[in-house]
Amino acid sequence: MVKIFFLFVLSLMLQLNAQENKSISEGTPLQGMRGKTVNLPDISALGNIIGYLSDDPTDSDKNQLSLNEVETAFQGYIYPEMRADIILAIHKHDGDYESEICEAKASFLNLGYGLSGEMGKIHIDFGKINKLHTHHLPMTDRPLVLKKFFGDHELAGQGATLKYLIPVLPFYSQVQAGFWSINAHHHSSAEAEVLAINGSTITVNSLIHSDEEFSPADKVYTFRWNSSFEVGSQKELELGVSGLKGRGAHYKEHKDNVEVTGADLTFKWFPSTYKKWTFQNEWMHLKREVPIGELNRDGFYSFLNYRSNKYWDYGLRFDYSENAFPTISYERAFSAIITRHLTETSYWRLTGKHRNINGENITEGWFQLSFGIGPHSHELE
Amino acid sequence: MKKIFLILFVLCHSPLLAKINIITASQDLRSITEFVGKDEVKVESLSNGNFDLHMIEPRPSMVFKLKKADMVVRIGLDLDMWMDSLINAAKNEKIFYGKEGYVDASVGIELMQKPQGKIDASMGDIHIFGNPHYWLNPENGKIIARNIKDGLIRLKPEKKEYFEKNYSDFCLKIDEKMKEWKSIINPLKEKKIITYHNSWVYFAKAFNMDVVANIEPKPGIPPNANHILYLINLIKEKDVHIILVDNFYPTKAAMEIANKTKSKVIILPSSVGGEKEAKDYISLFDFIIKKISAN
């Protein structure tokens, strides 16, 4: 009897143990809630290593392989339907490493009546590419027109944006407006000796631009309207217009008011699960009012990309852009890009680029290795 | 006459008569939702049956569909992570996480291959919550249907009995078909299989088959020459005769292995709509079982 009882208890314990070993799904937490058991946000780190070659004798950055950028992200929910994304970066700028808050924003996913919003330091949603982080771009370098009109990095501002998904239309259509404060570029002064009218030399203070780039700054107001149409099975046409009004980054010296308008058109076709064609075009017009008059500049790029399977992408890009300065220059560039994807956040890429600047030819090449560790997500882009 | 029009207009727009507008992540979930919801639902899937569910690219037109939805049914377990950004962008409070119209079909599934300990990318594109291809066990179809039925009742409690009945009918149908499918599979001698991706473990469990290895050395990592050689030797050693490849994965490595062994490559849909004949959840398994048994 004791043996039977013992065997019964033993079998019961074995059954209980077997039940404990079963793993039953309780559902899946959202992105930003992966570490739910210890209430951790999604934490990730991304690195971007760039090897750069150029036949431009004046280019001091050429023929180097270096870590171009490291990005860390902390992403999670702070309240129902409200999430926070903090993205910190250390990146190479003119040969030196600088740390910055890349983005730090609170997103209000549902403000009611189809409205949503973001607040904090944010990559401004202007056109198709400005909002994207370096590692997320389908190309190594940013298109010329963005560099000429917005500077070497993404145009990012501190402020807020309000978005409205239009409910009555039979297709996707969203409008948004934002106001931003963007830091002006720094200047320092140095003493310089100049020739006076009487032939003697005198010492004067002269302003030195720490940054020769042009970009909008100060109080900036933006607007974007983008729509999307399903034009067939697995075919999508996206159209957008953007506008920006503000001042120049060197306003104190140049007294320039700035307006940028843009239009973009993207066609995507997914012939099969891994194959994908993308034809993306973006045009921008810069109007810069300076005391001596008004500068009007244009630029655009066309990007054709073919993803042949899960791992390989092949792209071609044509760039044209005028500069933002009083003495106009014209630049055209043609790039060929090959990407091999390793995982969702890691890839290597080769880019060859031929530039023509006012008739002068330059050939450049890049090797890029971008890698990611940990769960990393961006909003729909 | 005017009154009749007015009454018709009111009736047409009455929530009591309106169909529940449902968006699903996959065609399998669409099909099961239609079995349970029948005339009370209008269902659309965001993906095609012959697309890799890991790799769906979120698009604005999908946001538009979710914006209009009363309910969303997702696969969960990290397979459809692309749904997160879509749901956020749609700003539709009915389908936000935890709301009445949010259904995670994986709730209650007995998970397989849930990784333990440290997980990182050295293990490939691993799913941290467990293998997510759970719909390929028809028994799990019943759990999916239960989750969907609960969601439908939350949205239309007055139709509770209707949804309960449809759900019971679906479960009975699965039980009936399971007997039929097992009667075809059980007599087969070849129960050991190699699969391209680790997507057939739930199916193998349901039909007492044995997944010996995968052509991908690790999830999402393409095979190299060493791994192909390893598989050739393994197939010979374990006497494996079947290589299953989902119809969207590359077949080159599988063909190479088959040519050097006695094994045969069977290309199968792993989702409803992956082949013309696999038009719903039941006929998906009819097709899979028929293809396997024919080889």
Side-chain angles (χ1 to χ4, degrees), chain B residues 215-241:
Chain B
I215 294 178
E216 286 179 338
K218 286 173 181 176
I221 308 295
N224 55 26
N226 275 343
H227 189 65
I228 288 175
L229 189 64
Y230 161 76
L231 290 174
I232 290 169
N233 292 330
L234 187 75
I235 286 172
K236 287 175 183 170
E237 184 194 321
K238 302 242 177 184
D239 196 27
V240 180
H241 290 258

Coordinates of all heavy atoms in Angstrom, one line a residue, chain B residues 215-241:
Chain B
I215 N 18.6 23.2 -43.7 CA 19.6 23.6 -44.7 C 20.2 24.9 -44.3 O 21.4 25.1 -44.5 CB 18.9 23.7 -46.1 CG1 18.5 22.3 -46.6 CG2 19.9 24.3 -47.1 CD1 17.8 22.2 -47.9
E216 N 19.5 25.8 -43.7 CA 20.1 27.0 -43.1 C 20.9 26.5 -41.9 O 20.3 25.9 -41.0 CB 19.0 28.0 -42.6 CG 18.4 28.8 -43.8 CD 17.3 29.7 -43.3 OE1 16.8 29.6 -42.1 OE2 17.0 30.7 -44.0
P217 N 22.2 26.8 -41.8 CA 22.9 26.3 -40.6 C 22.4 26.9 -39.3 O 22.4 26.3 -38.3 CB 24.4 26.8 -40.9 CG 24.3 27.8 -42.0 CD 23.0 27.5 -42.7
K218 N 21.9 28.2 -39.4 CA 21.3 28.9 -38.3 C 20.1 29.7 -38.9 O 20.2 30.1 -40.1 CB 22.3 29.8 -37.6 CG 23.2 29.0 -36.7 CD 24.3 29.8 -36.1 CE 25.2 28.8 -35.3 NZ 26.4 29.5 -34.8
P219 N 19.1 30.0 -38.1 CA 18.0 30.7 -38.8 C 18.4 31.9 -39.5 O 19.1 32.8 -39.0 CB 17.1 31.0 -37.6 CG 17.5 30.1 -36.5 CD 18.9 29.8 -36.7
G220 N 17.9 32.0 -40.8 CA 18.2 33.2 -41.6 C 19.6 33.3 -42.2 O 19.9 34.2 -42.9
I221 N 20.4 32.3 -41.9 CA 21.8 32.3 -42.4 C 21.9 31.3 -43.6 O 21.6 30.2 -43.5 CB 22.8 31.9 -41.4 CG1 22.7 32.8 -40.1 CG2 24.3 32.0 -41.9 CD1 22.9 34.2 -40.2
P222 N 22.3 31.8 -44.8 CA 22.3 30.9 -46.0 C 23.4 29.8 -45.8 O 24.4 30.0 -45.1 CB 22.7 31.8 -47.1 CG 23.3 33.0 -46.5 CD 22.8 33.2 -45.1
P223 N 23.2 28.6 -46.4 CA 24.1 27.5 -46.2 C 25.4 27.8 -47.0 O 25.5 28.4 -48.0 CB 23.4 26.3 -46.8 CG 22.4 26.9 -47.8 CD 22.0 28.3 -47.3
N224 N 26.5 27.3 -46.4 CA 27.8 27.3 -47.1 C 28.2 25.9 -47.5 O 27.5 24.9 -47.2 CB 28.9 28.0 -46.2 CG 29.0 27.3 -44.8 OD1 28.7 26.1 -44.7 ND2 29.4 28.0 -43.8
A225 N 29.3 25.8 -48.2 CA 29.7 24.5 -48.7 C 29.9 23.4 -47.6 O 29.5 22.3 -47.8 CB 31.0 24.6 -49.5
N226 N 30.5 23.9 -46.5 CA 30.7 22.9 -45.4 C 29.4 22.4 -44.8 O 29.3 21.2 -44.6 CB 31.4 23.7 -44.2 CG 32.9 23.7 -44.5 OD1 33.5 22.9 -45.3 ND2 33.6 24.6 -43.7
H227 N 28.4 23.2 -44.7 CA 27.2 22.8 -44.1 C 26.4 21.8 -45.1 O 25.8 20.9 -44.7 CB 26.3 24.0 -43.8 CG 25.1 23.6 -43.0 ND1 25.1 23.1 -41.7 CD2 23.7 23.7 -43.4 CE1 23.9 22.9 -41.3 NE2 23.0 23.2 -42.3
I228 N 26.6 22.2 -46.4 CA 25.9 21.3 -47.4 C 26.6 19.9 -47.4 O 25.9 18.9 -47.4 CB 26.0 21.9 -48.8 CG1 25.0 23.1 -48.9 CG2 25.7 20.9 -49.9 CD1 25.1 23.9 -50.1
L229 N 27.9 19.9 -47.2 CA 28.6 18.6 -47.1 C 28.2 17.8 -45.9 O 27.9 16.6 -45.9 CB 30.1 18.8 -47.1 CG 31.0 17.6 -47.2 CD1 30.8 17.0 -48.6 CD2 32.5 18.0 -47.0
Y230 N 28.0 18.6 -44.8 CA 27.6 18.0 -43.5 C 26.2 17.3 -43.7 O 25.9 16.2 -43.2 CB 27.6 19.1 -42.4 CG 26.7 18.7 -41.2 CD1 27.2 17.8 -40.2 CD2 25.5 19.3 -41.1 CE1 26.4 17.5 -39.2 CE2 24.7 19.0 -40.0 CZ 25.1 18.1 -39.0 OH 24.3 17.8 -37.9
L231 N 25.3 18.1 -44.4 CA 23.9 17.6 -44.6 C 23.9 16.3 -45.5 O 23.2 15.4 -45.2 CB 23.1 18.7 -45.2 CG 22.7 19.9 -44.3 CD1 22.0 20.9 -45.0 CD2 21.9 19.4 -43.1
I232 N 24.8 16.3 -46.5 CA 24.9 15.2 -47.4 C 25.2 13.9 -46.6 O 24.6 12.9 -46.7 CB 25.9 15.4 -48.5 CG1 25.2 16.5 -49.5 CG2 26.2 14.2 -49.3 CD1 26.2 17.1 -50.5
N233 N 26.2 14.1 -45.7 CA 26.7 13.0 -44.9 C 25.6 12.6 -43.9 O 25.4 11.4 -43.7 CB 28.0 13.3 -44.1 CG 29.1 13.4 -45.1 OD1 29.1 12.8 -46.2 ND2 30.1 14.3 -44.8
L234 N 24.9 13.6 -43.3 CA 23.9 13.3 -42.4 C 22.7 12.5 -43.0 O 22.2 11.6 -42.4 CB 23.4 14.6 -41.8 CG 22.4 14.5 -40.6 CD1 23.1 14.1 -39.3 CD2 21.7 15.8 -40.4
I235 N 22.3 13.0 -44.2 CA 21.2 12.3 -44.9 C 21.5 10.9 -45.2 O 20.7 10.0 -45.0 CB 20.9 13.1 -46.2 CG1 20.2 14.4 -45.9 CG2 20.1 12.2 -47.2 CD1 20.0 15.3 -47.0
K236 N 22.8 10.6 -45.6 CA 23.2 9.2 -45.8 C 23.2 8.4 -44.5 O 22.7 7.3 -44.5 CB 24.6 9.2 -46.5 CG 24.6 9.7 -47.9 CD 26.0 9.8 -48.5 CE 25.9 10.3 -49.9 NZ 27.3 10.7 -50.4
E237 N 23.7 9.0 -43.5 CA 23.8 8.3 -42.2 C 22.5 8.0 -41.6 O 22.2 6.9 -41.1 CB 24.7 9.2 -41.2 CG 25.0 8.6 -39.9 CD 25.4 9.7 -38.9 OE1 26.2 10.6 -39.3 OE2 25.0 9.6 -37.7
K238 N 21.6 9.0 -41.7 CA 20.3 8.9 -41.0 C 19.2 8.3 -42.0 O 18.0 8.2 -41.6 CB 19.8 10.2 -40.4 CG 20.8 10.8 -39.4 CD 20.1 10.9 -38.1 CE 21.1 11.4 -37.0 NZ 20.6 11.5 -35.7
D239 N 19.6 8.2 -43.2 CA 18.6 7.6 -44.2 C 17.4 8.5 -44.4 O 16.3 8.1 -44.2 CB 18.2 6.2 -43.9 CG 17.6 5.5 -45.1 OD1 18.0 5.9 -46.2 OD2 16.8 4.6 -44.9
V240 N 17.7 9.8 -44.6 CA 16.6 10.8 -44.8 C 16.2 10.8 -46.3 O 17.1 10.9 -47.2 CB 17.0 12.2 -44.3 CG1 15.9 13.2 -44.5 CG2 17.5 12.1 -42.9
H241 N 14.9 10.9 -46.6 CA 14.5 10.9 -48.0 C 13.8 12.1 -48.4 O 13.5 12.3 -49.6 CB 13.6 9.6 -48.3 CG 14.4 8.4 -48.2 ND1 14.8 7.7 -49.3 CD2 14.9 7.7 -47.1 CE1 15.5 6.6 -48.9 NE2 15.5 6.6 -47.6

